[in-house]
Amino acid sequence: MLDSTYIKHELNEVVITASDNRLIGNKTFFYPSKELKDVTSNGVQLLAGLQIPDLIINPATGSVEKLGGGDLSIRINGRPASQIDIISLSPKDITKVEYISEPGVRYGEVKGVIDITVKRREIGYGISLNLLQSVNRGWGNYTGALKYTSGRSEWMLDFQSNPMWRMSAFRKNTEHFLLSDGAEIIRLENGMKAPNRMASHRVSLQHSYAIGSKLLLNTQLRVFRKNDRYISEGRITTMTGGYEARNDFEREELPIKSTQIDLDVYLHWKINKANKLYFNMIPTVINGSNNRSYLTSEVELFTTISNRGYRLFGEGVWECRIGNGTLSSGIRSLGEWNDASYNKSLSVNEKSVVSALFVEWKQTLDKIQYSIGIGGTAYCVKEPLKHNYFNANPRTYIRYTPATWGGISFIGNVNTVSPTVNQLNPVLQQVDRFQWSRGNPSVSVFQQYETKLEFDGRYKEMSLKFTVGNTYSHKPIMGAKTYIEHQIVRTYYNFGYNNNFTVKAQFGLPIFIKQLTLSLEGGWHRTVSKGFNYRHNYSQPFVNSQLMYVKGPWWIMVKYNTTYNVLWGEDIYSANNNMLNIGVGYTCRNATFMAGAFNPIGNINMKSRDLNAIAGFDREYYVSSTRQLFWVGVTLNLYKGKKRSTSQRKLHNSQSYESISNVKK
């Protein structure tokens, strides 16, 4: 949309128009027009109106995602923020939106960065609500925030709740087993609908103290609560040697509860025009419990896990402008201490520290923009088995822009991936009558090598990006099922490789009129996974698309994703599923009224496969209550106060961590 500045005169009105976006290297700057600010009621709706080609934005739920997946760092005035922070923004306070398609070492391992520049009010208060409720299913999504600003301080209290109840789910499952004595067993599961429940809640209290743009101290206390209950029931037919043996009934129940509390302390200090320092410290406490029961006529399994975890994340970054380049360097460190108790008897302690040093140089030379960075990752495990590793992670980005309409880019990254808590867990847990599972405390970090060649172009309102990429993981941590003392046990090894080759194209273009924009991604990927005693191939085409219409007070969204399957080890699982989401909204004054439908036709079924020769499966998981889910909602943003004349920084941070959980079929 055009960015217009209206200059009133006694006799007439002069309208000055300018481009609404500007591309500089891997950064695109979007400037919202006054018209767009006037007809939207929160920051997410304004982002949807900007129609950024690389992003998929749902103005109803407030989700902001990168087209095709990958971690997206959301920032407000340069600092990580959550989606609820964007919902609570007043569009009139947003002056600029910056999107970075290929961030460097400075931002860690994210695939994209969106940074929203906001003017903070000098004095005032505000309230924002975004309430969605299904009219025919047990589903809701509720967010809200209260703000108060006075002088250099700003206070904010926000909440988010996403309950799902009576979500009927069932699965169809075919399993095959080859026992150590040579017996072959086939199990056919015909699932029955069972009521599942999922609920997540978040409450946050934040205080921000700023002295102009030179100094900011942001403190945020957050509490996360999770309360889920997964149930699977079905009739089982077991056949041995090709003959039907018997029919049985199977029931699996897995309630999960966890509470996470963290304190996020962030400090930004602008020493002078050329030098900036950033500090971040986040101590975290986690308490959780996972109680699993698995019942058939032949076996009864009950496992209770209670765990307490502590995390300490720290980051320090120095940025220095030298000529037309920028030098960034810093350190990040994450320490984890976990104590898990199994069936109130066996206790496992796990201690590990991951630290990374990095330095990066960015510079623009006429038609060439480049960045060169390197990081060193030190990984130290103290319990349950001591080992230390160090890896170097270089990162390169170069872009050649022969004309203003587009350019060619090459990206090369090396990332270090640490093992998860459950991959290190040495406790042997029984899955069913035939299978067991345990982690391997000797597994360690591995490296991923990513290379991409991209061509991108823009013409008026149209954009195109064509990408050829490859991700190679060297001796990754992948699961394998083997015989251990005549039992089928799944455990983890650093072995072999995983290679994923992708060819895809992204389009963003107006359809018939400028206000109706299509964002489309389509492509093909092929994965080769070689692990302990196996090698598998998998290939698949995929399509992701969104049709967005924004004009005046109206917005209409149609979003569709095909299934995107991932092969890792011997497991094929769905990252995205065949989903259709439709929504419409109308803004009147400070409120937006919305309605929509999720999956109005068809049904969601998440397919997964295990290709193991001695214990594999082919499974479909259905959530029938999400079929034809209709919802209504309202967004309300009210602000009152005096604006500042200069931009300030209002910062948030969000981190969630993995805790030990029970095995699940």
Side-chain angles (χ1 to χ4, degrees):
M1 299 185 67
L2 294 179
D3 181 39
S4 303
T5 304
Y6 297 90
I7 304 176
K8 292 187 177 181
H9 190 268
E10 291 183 1
L11 299 179
N12 55 20
E13 182 182 74
V14 178
V15 181
I16 302 175
T17 62
S19 175
D20 64 341
N21 64 75
R22 185 160 53 100
L23 178 65
I24 302 178
N26 64 337
K27 296 182 180 181
T28 307
F29 300 89
F30 297 84
Y31 302 92
S33 65
K34 182 179 182 301
E35 177 189 12
L36 181 60
K37 294 181 180 182
D38 289 340
V39 297
T40 53
S41 61
N42 64 39
V44 174
Q45 292 178 15
L46 183 137
L47 289 181
L50 290 176
Q51 299 175 338
I52 301 173
D54 269 7
L55 301 183
I56 295 291
I57 298 170
N58 189 331
T61 62
S63 67
V64 181
E65 302 171 349
K66 195 175 188 301
L67 185 64
D71 292 337
L72 176 70
S73 177
I74 301 173
R75 296 172 178 259
I76 297 176
N77 291 335
R79 178 66 172 88
S82 64
Q83 294 177 350
I84 189 174
D85 298 322
I86 305 179
I87 295 177
S88 66
L89 292 177
S90 170
K92 294 180 175 59
D93 294 340
I94 298 175
T95 61
K96 180 181 66 177
V97 176
E98 177 183 344
Y99 176 70
I100 307 175
S101 58
E102 289 295 338
V105 179
R106 164 68 178 87
Y107 295 99
E109 299 176 3
V110 300
K111 303 301 182 182
V113 175
I114 182 169
D115 192 355
I116 304 171
T117 301
V118 178
K119 288 185 178 181
R120 197 168 74 180
R121 295 168 185 260
E122 183 176 353
I123 187 170
Y125 57 89
I127 179 173
S128 65
L129 295 171
N130 192 76
L131 309 176
L132 305 180
Q133 178 61 57
S134 173
V135 297
N136 63 332
R137 299 284 189 262
W139 176 85
N141 191 352
Y142 322 117
T143 61
L146 292 172
K147 289 183 181 180
Y148 175 73
T149 305
S150 178
R152 295 175 175 174
S153 292
E154 180 177 85
W155 294 86
M156 180 174 172
L157 175 66
D158 66 71
F159 75 91
Q160 183 175 27
S161 180
N162 182 213
M164 293 174 277
W165 63 97
R166 296 195 308 274
M167 304 295 286
S168 296
F170 65 96
R171 71 187 180 199
K172 294 182 179 180
N173 190 19
T174 301
E175 297 177 284
H176 67 86
F177 302 98
L178 179 62
L179 304 185
S180 59
D181 60 4
E184 295 186 18
I185 297 175
I186 302 294
R187 298 177 77 242
L188 305 177
E189 177 183 352
N190 187 16
M192 303 168 58
K193 292 182 179 179
N196 284 239
R197 180 194 69 220
M198 289 152 278
S200 59
H201 313 284
R202 172 187 182 271
V203 178
S204 169
L205 176 63
Q206 173 188 228
H207 174 252
S208 177
Y209 180 83
I211 302 177
S213 61
K214 294 183 178 180
L215 180 69
L216 181 137
L217 176 63
N218 190 85
T219 306
Q220 188 176 20
L221 177 66
R222 296 184 293 255
V223 180
F224 302 86
R225 177 65 177 170
K226 182 178 183 179
N227 188 357
D228 297 347
R229 183 170 176 262
Y230 302 96
I231 300 176
S232 179
E233 297 178 342
R235 301 186 184 280
I236 306 297
T237 301
T238 303
M239 295 177 289
T240 303
Y243 298 96
E244 185 171 322
R246 62 183 163 277
N247 294 320
D248 202 349
F249 179 79
E250 179 185 60
R251 175 184 171 87
E252 183 178 27
E253 183 173 346
L254 187 67
I256 300 175
K257 296 181 180 180
S258 67
T259 301
Q260 174 180 314
I261 303 174
D262 61 32
L263 180 65
D264 187 344
V265 180
Y266 173 82
L267 177 67
H268 164 224
W269 179 27
K270 184 178 180 181
I271 302 174
N272 49 44
K273 292 183 179 180
N275 294 276
K276 298 178 182 178
L277 292 176
Y278 304 88
F279 298 97
N280 197 195
M281 187 73 70
I282 309 175
T284 302
V285 178
I286 296 178
N287 279 304
S289 64
N290 305 274
N291 305 315
R292 177 181 182 250
S293 64
Y294 176 80
L295 303 174
T296 68
S297 62
E298 297 178 323
V299 63
E300 295 184 7
L301 304 175
F302 297 95
T303 307
T304 299
I305 300 176
S306 60
N307 63 281
R308 175 185 291 267
Y310 301 91
R311 315 284 191 267
L312 180 60
F313 172 79
E315 180 184 52
V317 180
W318 169 54
E319 285 188 354
C320 177
R321 291 193 60 85
I322 304 174
N324 61 347
T326 302
L327 180 68
S328 302
S329 61
I331 182 172
R332 297 186 184 95
S333 182
L334 175 63
E336 301 184 70
W337 300 265
N338 295 289
D339 184 9
S341 175
Y342 293 82
N343 293 331
K344 300 181 180 180
S345 58
L346 179 62
S347 181
V348 177
N349 296 316
E350 295 173 337
K351 299 179 182 179
S352 64
V353 178
V354 181
S355 300
L357 291 167
F358 65 89
V359 61
E360 182 179 45
W361 170 255
K362 294 182 178 181
Q363 189 176 19
T364 300
L365 300 173
D366 193 19
K367 296 182 179 181
I368 296 178
Q369 182 189 46
Y370 72 94
S371 65
I372 300 174
I374 188 168
T377 301
Y379 178 70
C380 174
V381 176
K382 297 182 179 180
E383 293 184 22
L385 186 68
K386 292 184 179 181
H387 51 268
N388 303 297
Y389 289 89
F390 178 83
N391 296 102
N393 304 316
R395 183 169 297 186
T396 302
Y397 170 81
I398 183 168
R399 173 183 168 84
Y400 174 62
T401 310
T404 57
W405 50 264
I408 301 174
S409 304
F410 171 80
I411 302 100
N413 296 327
V414 180
N415 298 318
T416 296
V417 182
S418 303
T420 66
V421 169
N422 287 302
Q423 289 171 343
L424 292 168
N425 176 20
V427 176
L428 182 66
Q429 300 180 66
Q430 189 171 357
V431 179
D432 55 23
R433 180 188 173 191
F434 306 103
Q435 299 180 89
W436 281 256
S437 176
R438 72 179 180 191
N440 182 359
S442 65
V443 295
S444 188
V445 298
F446 64 92
Q447 289 187 292
Q448 286 186 333
Y449 302 86
E450 180 184 14
T451 55
K452 286 194 300 183
L453 184 64
E454 290 186 344
F455 166 79
D456 63 272
R458 294 171 182 266
Y459 177 72
K460 294 184 178 180
E461 305 301 324
M462 296 182 292
S463 65
L464 165 68
K465 180 184 291 185
F466 181 77
T467 303
V468 178
N470 192 78
T471 301
Y472 174 83
S473 298
H474 181 65
K475 289 188 177 181
I477 302 173
M478 296 192 296
K481 295 179 181 178
T482 57
Y483 299 117
I484 300 179
E485 297 180 354
H486 305 292
Q487 296 176 339
I488 299 175
V489 179
R490 176 188 175 93
T491 188
Y492 298 92
Y493 301 92
N494 286 102
F495 194 90
Y497 63 87
N498 183 275
N499 191 86
N500 187 64
F501 177 76
T502 304
V503 179
K504 65 180 181 180
Q506 295 178 353
F507 300 90
L509 68 162
I511 304 296
F512 306 119
I513 57 176
K514 180 180 177 181
Q515 292 79 13
L516 181 63
T517 300
L518 173 67
S519 299
L520 176 67
E521 177 190 64
W524 171 85
H525 72 110
R526 181 179 185 270
T527 304
V528 179
S529 186
K530 177 175 173 53
F532 190 74
N533 293 330
Y534 61 79
R535 185 182 187 277
H536 301 296
N537 301 322
Y538 181 79
S539 61
Q540 176 199 36
F542 59 91
V543 173
N544 301 300
S545 63
Q546 176 173 288
L547 195 64
M548 194 75 197
Y549 173 78
V550 179
K551 182 174 177 58
W554 288 95
W555 62 260
I556 301 174
M557 178 200 69
V558 180
K559 179 181 178 182
Y560 177 72
N561 303 95
T562 61
T563 299
Y564 186 96
N565 292 329
V566 174
L567 169 64
W568 186 261
E570 295 190 283
D571 296 322
I572 299 176
Y573 57 92
S574 299
N576 289 323
N577 298 282
N578 293 317
M579 294 184 292
L580 178 63
N581 198 348
I582 301 173
V584 59
Y586 178 80
T587 301
C588 180
R589 297 181 182 273
N590 296 313
T592 300
F593 302 93
M594 303 171 289
F598 180 74
N599 200 32
I601 56 177
N603 200 359
I604 289 183
N605 60 320
M606 294 174 285
K607 296 183 179 181
S608 59
R609 296 177 62 192
D610 188 318
L611 305 176
N612 186 268
I614 64 174
F617 62 77
D618 195 341
R619 185 174 298 163
E620 291 185 72
Y621 189 81
Y622 295 85
V623 185
S624 58
S625 56
T626 60
R627 181 175 181 266
Q628 296 179 347
L629 186 154
F630 297 95
W631 55 268
V632 295
V634 61
T635 293
L636 178 66
N637 271 15
L638 298 174
Y639 299 93
K640 187 175 182 180
K642 181 181 179 182
K643 293 184 179 179
R644 293 180 183 270
S645 57
T646 58
S647 298
Q648 305 266 337
R649 293 181 179 266
K650 184 184 78 65
L651 310 176
H652 305 268
N653 188 71
S654 177
Q655 294 242 0
S656 59
Y657 304 93
E658 179 187 3
S659 60
I660 297 175
S661 62
N662 263 312
V663 297
K664 182 184 178 184
K665 287 196 62 153

